[in-house]
Amino acid sequence: MIVLGIETSCDETSAAVLKDGKNVLSEIIYSQDKIHEPWGGVVPEIASRQHVKIIDSVVKEALKEAKIKLKDIDLFACTKGPGLIGSLLVGFTFTKSLAYSLSKPFIGVDHLHAHIEAAFLENDEIEFPVLALVVSGGHTSMFYLEKPLDFKLIGKTRDDAAGEILDKISKFLGTGYPGGPAIEKIAKNGDPEKFKFSIPLIKGGGLDFSFSGTKTAAYLYIKKGVVSKESSELSDFLASFQKSIIDHIISNIEKALDDYLVKSLIVSGGVARNMELRKRVSERMNARNIKVYIPSPRHCTDNGSMVAFLAYKLYISGKKDGWNSDAYPRFREGEKNISISSSEKIRKRYK
Ligand code: KG4
Ligand code: ZN
């Protein structure tokens, strides 16, 4: 079975061809980083226009590399949400129209679920129950999966996403875009204990995240002139800033592990490319005997393979979309964090 997976939820245009749910025959990822660099962040209208310009050639290239024709595709898949609505609609309309014109099935997948599936695409031995964290420029969300495809949202950011504050502070300092990799590079030789950032405490927040306080603290250090792009303490400052983000992520994972007894942890999304995060999460989970699965850096970022793979799994489990289905910019209505009381029940069940 051949699946074409298309991803356009933010600023990457990607198409991948997947055979029999395991062999990636081709994957093209076109990044708009250079286009958004002058603004220090993704400009939604520019992103959707760029998708319109490029999507046709990205798909053609993916077909060519896979050595197949459009008529060979059995299932057409794309990202349905959440994401930038203009960007999503380009991929969604393009994919749905192709499927309709060829009378083939069509599936729109959830972007965050697809990020998690990138780990299963690369490793088919992941044991359930699973705790999964998606940490990117647009999202910081935690899921509990008791069994395959059973995604339960148990925590999400109340304000900014982790990648978003890395991008914003890097923009404010003038250290480059995207901020995550730029900061990681400078922070490498810095002292992470030099500058103080407190871990956010969210009253009644359960497993939710909050990054806006850390962003404001970093902003004030810069605004008051304590640190600048030119100062000798820049690497210490950025190492401390990066550490505070990782500390918050790890502290929430550990909180979740008090409620949910899991065998595996998945960390995915653009920020999961960060080597310090990968290292620290792995060390902490080793100590708890929990196996950690972090996709390869290429598959942490937005890509068509994860879309094709999730759509394949949904399709063989009997799901497909109707022609009247639509894209959605935010979490689907009704998809709220499950409460701690229900998580307590889950813990009891696995005792
Ligand atoms: O998953 P992604 O490609 O797009 C979204 O869905 O948001 O993630 C992009 C985010 C950006 O905020 C970028 O700064 C961050 O991932 N990022 C990193 C690294 N590489 C990308 N953050 C920390 N360290 C990195 N090496
Ligand atoms: Zn993403």
Side-chain angles (χ1 to χ4, degrees):
M1 179 176 187
I2 306 242
V3 186
L4 174 69
I6 295 179
E7 154 62 36
T8 64
S9 68
C10 189
D11 63 334
E12 265 96 21
T13 321
S14 179
V17 177
L18 181 75
K19 190 176 177 201
D20 298 333
K22 47 181 185 289
N23 301 323
V24 178
L25 299 183
S26 67
E27 180 183 69
I28 308 296
I29 303 176
Y30 169 81
S31 164
Q32 299 180 10
D33 278 356
K34 284 274 160 286
I35 294 169
H36 298 284
E37 196 175 6
W39 283 270
V42 178
V43 184
E45 184 59 26
I46 296 178
S48 24
R49 283 169 191 240
Q50 195 57 28
H51 287 305
V52 171
K53 266 194 200 160
I54 205 87
I55 191 163
D56 190 41
S57 40
V58 167
V59 171
K60 278 186 180 141
E61 194 61 31
L63 297 177
K64 193 172 149 201
E65 210 177 290
K67 299 189 178 61
I68 60 155
K69 300 256 180 294
L70 210 48
K71 66 172 174 47
D72 301 325
I73 292 163
D74 302 300
L75 172 66
F76 286 83
C78 67
T79 306
K80 200 175 187 178
L84 302 172
I85 193 62
S87 293
L88 283 165
L89 281 171
V90 177
F92 191 78
T93 315
F94 186 89
T95 316
K96 196 159 82 163
S97 310
L98 277 180
Y100 186 78
S101 66
L102 295 160
S103 304
K104 294 282 175 74
F106 159 75
I107 290 190
V109 304
D110 184 280
H111 183 60
L112 303 184
H113 299 175
H115 267 304
I116 295 168
E117 288 299 324
F120 290 100
L121 172 65
E122 292 188 1
N123 197 314
D124 58 8
E125 284 162 9
I126 302 177
E127 280 189 89
F128 288 87
V130 169
L131 182 71
L133 176 75
V134 180
V135 57
S136 71
H139 313 276
T140 307
S141 301
M142 209 155 32
F143 293 83
Y144 171 75
L145 289 85
E146 190 179 324
K147 53 184 191 298
L149 301 177
D150 182 25
F151 303 95
K152 283 198 179 67
L153 179 70
I154 57 168
K156 62 178 190 291
T157 183
R158 292 269 171 121
D159 36 61
D160 296 306
E164 189 179 354
I165 72 162
L166 287 162
D167 293 340
K168 282 182 177 160
I169 292 304
S170 187
K171 177 181 177 181
F172 195 53
L173 268 172
T175 42
Y177 175 82
I183 288 177
E184 179 174 21
K185 205 167 155 201
I186 304 169
K188 216 166 192 170
N189 304 316
D191 173 4
E193 305 298 336
K194 196 76 178 265
F195 289 81
K196 293 289 159 238
F197 290 91
S198 51
I199 288 198
L201 283 173
I202 317 165
K203 254 194 174 171
L207 297 172
D208 280 349
F209 296 85
S210 170
F211 291 100
S212 64
T214 310
K215 179 185 68 181
T216 306
Y219 172 78
L220 290 175
Y221 274 124
I222 305 161
K223 193 165 177 253
K224 287 178 183 163
V226 179
V227 72
S228 73
K229 190 183 170 187
E230 284 72 36
S231 55
S232 58
E233 287 184 313
L234 180 69
S235 62
D236 298 336
F237 174 72
L238 291 178
S240 309
F241 175 58
Q242 181 180 270
K243 178 181 177 288
S244 75
I245 294 171
I246 297 174
D247 283 349
H248 182 29
I249 290 171
I250 291 181
S251 121
N252 255 24
I253 290 174
E254 300 217 294
K255 257 204 257 168
L257 293 175
D258 291 339
D259 286 332
Y260 297 89
L261 294 185
V262 299
K263 290 193 173 151
S264 316
L265 171 75
I266 292 173
V267 186
S268 192
V271 179
R273 294 167 67 107
N274 187 284
M275 288 303 157
E276 190 60 23
L277 174 67
R278 294 170 89 97
K279 189 177 112 218
R280 285 196 47 207
V281 167
S282 300
E283 281 168 3
R284 287 291 262 273
M285 295 305 115
N286 271 350
R288 297 183 75 131
N289 223 3
I290 290 171
K291 283 206 166 169
V292 178
Y293 299 90
I294 308 177
S296 55
R298 179 181 175 88
H299 283 152
C300 282
T301 340
D302 295 347
N303 65 84
S305 305
M306 65 187 193
V307 174
F309 182 64
L310 173 55
Y312 169 81
K313 283 172 80 170
L314 290 170
Y315 187 71
I316 58 170
S317 72
K319 299 208 172 63
K320 68 174 186 167
D321 270 56
W323 300 121
N324 61 350
S325 67
D326 222 339
Y328 52 87
R330 294 179 194 285
F331 282 102
R332 273 169 298 187
E333 241 175 82
E335 190 173 20
K336 298 211 178 80
N337 301 18
I338 65 168
S339 65
I340 284 294
S341 54
S342 34
S343 71
E344 275 164 5
K345 280 181 211 141
I346 288 165
R347 179 173 171 77
K348 276 187 203 125
R349 221 182 305 155
Y350 283 97
K351 261 187 177 162

